[in-house]
Amino acid sequence: MSVEENITMSGITGKVVVITGASSGIGEAAALLLAERGAKIVLGARGTDRLEALAKRITERGSEAVYMSCDVQRREDMSNLVSLAYEQYGKLDVFINNAGIMPISPLDELRVEDWESMIDINMKGVLYGIAAALPVFRKQGFGHFVNTASTAGHKTVPNQSVYSGTKFAVRAISEGMRQEAGKQLRVTIISPGIVQTNFTESVTNTEVRNRLAAIRDELAMPPNAVARAIAFAIEQPDDIDVNEIVIRPTAQV
């Protein structure tokens, strides 16, 4: 089968996909892979330099992409991102709530600002994405949420309690929405283990950051592995809902 025939047969071809946290890591890998498979990509992240470069890479390869600055902590930004997708392409097929941070630390250190940032980005950011896209999905009669959680949303360990709490919340919100959604909408949770990204940059505890970086460098899987899981969920027929994919490096406990 040729590349052209494979793209034509893909359940991704022609779909309009919004991705938050799209400038690096999982978001960037998902954008490139989905564009390669025929999707039209709407990129959102706080900084525009990397988004501009990513959109250029996508369009130079013959696919379509637009972008805008988007802070998931601002509900208005999320609404504007959905509006961009609809104004540019006339529909919205998939909203990928991917933006997240992981400034973990022992609770005794009382890094309350880090706690608040995780709640605002990891949890409220997902809710703002839902608030922006759900009315569009209902009006269209179709749509698919893909929400990035974590294996930390299944099991917590010392130093990760607040981060895990936000990811447990993403899973609970997503599953509740799936049950409410009915037969028109699909909801998928992606729960990755450790991924080769820059997630350690947000960790404000130096000892924890260095330990996480060492584990990442030894064990982490590439972002494209998670992107393939996202693509698998999206490409299924409309009557098939992949509820959750847990994906981790083989060596990760």
Side-chain angles (χ1 to χ4, degrees):
M1 180 182 295
S2 69
V3 173
E4 291 78 10
E5 289 172 331
N6 186 51
I7 290 175
T8 301
M9 295 179 65
S10 169
I12 295 170
T13 302
K15 287 190 173 180
V16 177
V17 181
V18 166
I19 307 174
T20 67
S23 60
S24 62
I26 294 170
E28 179 183 23
L32 290 168
L33 180 62
L34 295 174
E36 181 182 302
R37 297 190 183 184
K40 301 172 182 179
I41 309 298
V42 181
L43 306 164
R46 282 183 283 194
T48 57
D49 288 349
R50 289 182 64 90
L51 291 181
E52 182 180 11
L54 178 57
K56 184 178 180 181
R57 288 172 66 190
I58 290 170
T59 55
E60 285 178 346
R61 296 177 183 184
S63 300
E64 296 185 53
V66 293
Y67 67 93
M68 68 173 292
S69 176
C70 175
D71 183 346
V72 301
Q73 298 172 95
R74 292 171 49 86
R75 183 177 177 185
E76 181 181 4
D77 283 9
M78 299 293 262
S79 296
N80 289 340
L81 192 62
V82 168
S83 295
L84 174 63
Y86 209 84
E87 290 166 5
Q88 189 76 20
Y89 299 117
K91 65 171 183 171
L92 174 61
D93 294 280
V94 184
F95 194 102
I96 303 178
N97 275 305
N98 172 69
I101 59 169
M102 190 183 175
I104 64 173
S105 61
L107 286 171
D108 281 326
E109 292 185 358
L110 301 179
R111 295 178 186 255
V112 176
E113 291 184 358
D114 287 349
W115 302 350
E116 291 172 339
S117 294
M118 283 186 279
I119 291 167
D120 288 346
I121 294 173
N122 298 355
M123 189 166 67
K124 289 173 66 177
V126 170
L127 288 169
Y128 289 160
I130 292 169
L134 185 56
V136 173
F137 286 168
R138 289 299 191 195
K139 182 178 179 180
Q140 294 176 155
F142 62 87
H144 189 176
F145 283 105
V146 179
N147 297 332
T148 303
S150 170
T151 53
H154 289 261
K155 171 188 175 182
T156 195
V157 295
N159 303 329
Q160 289 191 13
S161 55
V162 178
Y163 175 73
S164 289
T166 64
K167 295 303 186 176
F168 270 93
V170 169
R171 293 184 63 240
I173 291 163
S174 301
E175 174 57 14
M177 182 167 59
R178 184 193 68 79
Q179 294 181 32
E180 293 179 18
K183 63 182 181 179
Q184 291 182 316
L185 308 184
R186 299 193 293 172
V187 182
T188 299
I189 306 162
I190 303 291
S191 289
I194 192 163
V195 183
Q196 188 65 250
T197 69
N198 60 359
F199 70 90
T200 59
E201 291 180 1
S202 65
V203 180
T204 53
N205 179 299
T206 303
E207 180 183 350
V208 173
R209 181 172 65 247
N210 291 341
R211 187 162 61 245
L212 272 178
I215 294 170
R216 177 199 61 196
D217 294 345
E218 180 183 358
L219 297 179
M221 60 188 167
N224 193 54
V226 186
R228 290 195 300 271
I230 292 170
F232 173 78
I234 293 173
E235 70 187 1
Q236 300 306 307
D238 290 342
D239 61 344
I240 302 299
D241 192 351
V242 178
N243 303 149
E244 181 168 15
I245 298 175
V246 179
I247 176 171
R248 55 166 64 89
T250 306
Q252 183 177 345
V253 177

